[in-house]
Amino acid sequence: MAKTPRKLLVLSTPVGPLGTGLGGGVELTLFNMAEVLEERGYSLSVLAPEGSALPRLEIQTVPGTLQDTAQSQGRQTPITLPANSVLGAMCEIARQRQSQFDAIINFAYDWLPFYLTPFFEIPVFHFVSMGSLTDAMDEVVVNAVKATPERVTFYTRTQAQTFGLNRPDGLYIPSGLDLSLYDFCATPGSELAWVGRIAPEKGLEDALAAISQTGDSMTVWGVMQCPEYWQEICQRYPQAKVTYGGFLPTEALQRALGQCRGLIMTSKWVEAFGNVAIEALACGVPVVAYRRGGPAEIVRHGKTGWLVEPDSVPGLVAAIAKLPEFNRCDCRHQAEVEFSLAAMGDRLEQWLATANLATANLATAKGE
Ligand code: UDP
């Protein structure tokens, strides 16, 4: 029987260089997954847009024009590739280098690598990092699942359901963190936190509406993806005591976040996962989130945070009042049990082994 693939070529997100935050949570997920696999004896090489930084891991950076982010597009948006496409170049390099690897792991939420999958000579595994956003993307994701179900994985059940897919338990890989980089903070200050890309699908306006009523002050950290949106909502809620703290590297982010008495998550879309939720828990910070998407699978309602009826500002206001009731040790404990690098590494290895076994069984059934 074929051995589990150990030499892996990783395709990064083509919407931004790794380390800039333009790619969102998948940047941290990719980094942590690559780290844990290396630790466990796999050898990885990452293909990523020019300007990417990935400490300690082998990386080949690729010049070219970045892809547009899928979340800014309508459902009927056709597939587009710009001239001098970085994604096209990454796929071409993957084709040329494939004989040096056992498999490709694709993190690009984009049509091209899914479409090209049967054209590669080595298996392509897909880590799908967002929920359903466009019809064209849905089609290739669902087709990939039909062709080789075990080779496609998702963060969460609710995310897969947005594609109309219900998958067996082993085929979800919630994110994980190097918890040694996140300090537990037992005694927070009075500030609330909101962390994420500043973009409409993240629903920051609801957090501003809530703090306008409670009088709390809140710091916002994250990439300023839509400055006009930020200005518009700040003008809409002039009473909100909100400060923009910039986009911080993990070390500084966790230090600042740990001092906060709660993280507020107000996504308007089905968040595939929500790395910031587990980062907060790792620092001992309880999470108030809408009961929608990944955060609803992460937060232990009433223990490590509070899940609020989606889009309900009064619900947020009531949940903020509950923050002192949560034990910050429980938050850290949940992160240690469910979202450590080791826990994610186990899930990843199980995925690679299961997919490999399924391929071997298929080959046997075909008499190959
Ligand atoms: N982030 C960061 N510095 C900041 C704010 C955010 O590095 O100042 C990172 C954070 O660690 C997380 C990502 O931005 O990994 C946001 O990911 P999330 O999964 O929460 O949402 P997405 O952007 O993918 O929708």
Side-chain angles (χ1 to χ4, degrees):
M1 186 191 301
K3 285 199 291 238
T4 302
R6 298 201 72 87
K7 282 160 68 188
L8 304 170
L9 181 62
V10 175
L11 287 190
S12 183
T13 169
V15 304
L18 282 169
T20 59
L22 290 170
V26 74
E27 293 186 25
L28 185 68
T29 301
L30 182 155
F31 177 63
N32 286 338
M33 286 188 173
E35 280 250 301
V36 74
L37 286 176
E38 284 260 341
E39 239 173 65
R40 295 179 178 208
Y42 291 73
S43 99
L44 283 86
S45 183
V46 178
L47 286 178
E50 193 168 54
S52 291
L54 201 59
R56 299 187 292 283
L57 295 164
E58 187 187 305
I59 181 166
Q60 178 178 356
T61 60
V62 182
T65 307
L66 298 169
Q67 286 296 106
D68 274 344
T69 52
Q71 62 268 31
S72 56
Q73 301 168 3
R75 286 216 65 89
Q76 317 296 325
T77 309
I79 303 304
T80 51
L81 281 171
N84 188 31
S85 155
V86 74
L87 179 61
M90 283 159 56
C91 289
E92 171 56 17
I93 294 169
R95 186 187 70 78
Q96 288 167 12
R97 291 181 58 194
Q98 62 182 320
S99 63
Q100 303 157 23
F101 298 91
D102 299 329
I104 294 169
I105 303 192
N106 169 47
F107 285 84
Y109 183 99
D110 220 297
W111 183 85
L112 189 62
F114 282 87
Y115 179 77
L116 290 178
T117 295
F119 294 82
F120 281 100
E121 281 155 26
I122 60 173
V124 182
F125 293 74
H126 296 278
F127 182 87
V128 182
S129 65
M130 291 191 280
S132 157
L133 291 168
T134 68
D135 293 348
M137 191 62 196
D138 283 13
E139 188 176 78
V140 281
V141 170
V142 170
N143 284 345
V145 169
K146 277 191 194 140
T148 48
E150 294 80 7
R151 288 193 194 153
V152 185
T153 195
F154 299 80
Y155 277 121
T156 57
R157 193 170 288 280
T158 28
Q159 175 203 4
Q161 282 167 351
T162 65
F163 295 95
L165 298 166
N166 269 308
R167 326 227 53 223
D169 278 348
L171 288 179
Y172 298 102
I173 309 189
S175 201
L177 301 172
D178 178 350
L179 290 165
S180 70
L181 303 177
Y182 295 80
D183 301 321
F184 172 66
C185 174
T187 48
S190 58
E191 196 81 0
L192 296 175
W194 189 99
V195 188
R197 289 174 294 102
I198 294 149
E201 69 271 15
K202 294 290 194 171
L204 175 55
E205 65 273 26
D206 287 9
L208 297 193
I211 60 164
S212 299
Q213 292 179 34
T214 63
D216 283 296
S217 28
M218 184 176 84
T219 305
V220 170
W221 289 282
V223 167
M224 186 59 77
Q225 211 165 34
C226 301
E228 323 73 47
Y229 164 71
W230 166 254
Q231 270 149 24
E232 193 272 310
I233 61 173
C234 287
Q235 277 162 16
R236 210 185 319 159
Y237 296 102
Q239 303 94 324
K241 290 187 218 145
V242 63
T243 312
Y244 177 54
F247 177 75
L248 303 181
T250 297
E251 213 285 308
L253 177 65
Q254 66 83 28
R255 211 171 333 112
L257 178 58
Q259 305 293 321
C260 295
R261 60 192 195 88
L263 174 75
I264 313 298
M265 294 185 77
T266 45
S267 297
K268 296 282 170 184
W269 68 340
V270 177
E271 192 79 57
F273 185 70
N275 269 332
V276 299
I278 63 171
E279 295 185 272
L281 295 176
C283 301
V285 177
V287 179
V288 166
Y290 287 149
R291 191 186 292 279
R292 166 189 278 152
E297 290 187 38
I298 296 170
V299 175
R300 297 280 160 263
H301 183 62
K303 193 165 171 86
T304 60
W306 197 259
L307 293 169
V308 173
E309 187 197 331
D311 310 320
S312 165
V313 171
L316 291 175
V317 169
I320 289 169
K322 287 180 182 296
L323 282 170
E325 294 170 21
F326 307 120
N327 181 340
R328 293 170 72 94
C329 293
D330 288 341
C331 299
R332 173 74 188 192
H333 182 70
Q334 189 193 353
E336 282 170 0
V337 174
E338 296 177 34
F339 305 114
S340 66
L341 267 196
M344 183 173 66
D346 291 348
R347 293 189 284 258
L348 259 173
E349 287 202 287
Q350 191 197 343
W351 175 45
L352 295 175
T354 309
N356 190 56
L357 188 63
T359 310
N361 288 344
L362 189 67
T364 312
K366 284 184 183 164
E368 288 167 10

